[in-house]
Amino acid sequence: MRNVLIALLAGALFGAGLAISGMLDPARIRGFLDVFGHWDPTLAFVMAGAVGVMAAAWMLTARMQKPIYVEALSLPPTGRIDARLIIGSAIFGVGWGLSGLCPGPAIANLALNPRSALIFIGPMLLGMAIQRIAFQPGQISTFIGKLSAQTGKQ
């Protein structure tokens, strides 16, 4: 239960930060990307603040012998930059630039502007499903095998 409360608090803090900084407004993001038009530097300041907070968190984490609320940290592995990462980043960037939303603000926007958020979240979920199928092809054959085994037993 404690982990759920911590996750809810972290999510609420993240959502509040997005709302206070104006990052829930897709026009603000598109304004940042419009460097030759009416450029809006707000996102640059938000990113700088986020990098500062994250740098402090990494320094604190490096000095800790043990996490406060869990037995061990669960950090993603670092890997090499490959074609899959570059292509995924490009797709993410194009979607972000066109919509002015990325997953965090889109989910937060479900409370403020659900219709616009769902227009983004639907294709986002579809893209996640396609990625899972495309890069884990054994998943489809395993699913079909289980399905045919179940229908054959009936």
Side-chain angles (χ1 to χ4, degrees), residues 90-108:
I91 293 169
F92 176 87
V94 168
W96 185 44
L98 290 173
S99 69
L101 290 171
C102 63
I107 291 168

Side-chain angles (χ1 to χ4, degrees), residues 13-65:
L13 182 62
F14 179 65
L18 290 171
I20 291 167
S21 65
M23 294 299 106
L24 296 180
D25 181 6
R28 193 171 293 262
I29 304 305
R30 286 190 296 269
F32 174 76
L33 298 172
D34 187 11
V35 293
F36 299 113
H38 298 290
W39 187 64
D40 181 353
T42 308
L43 180 59
F45 293 112
V46 171
M47 285 182 178
V51 167
V53 169
M54 199 61 223
W58 276 114
M59 287 192 301
L60 179 66
T61 301
R63 293 181 182 181
M64 295 173 65
Q65 292 185 4

Side-chain angles (χ1 to χ4, degrees), residues 117-134:
L118 287 172
I119 290 170
F120 176 86
I121 290 172
M124 177 185 79
L125 293 174
L126 178 63
M128 291 166 71
I130 291 169
Q131 185 277 337
R132 183 168 290 258
I133 291 167

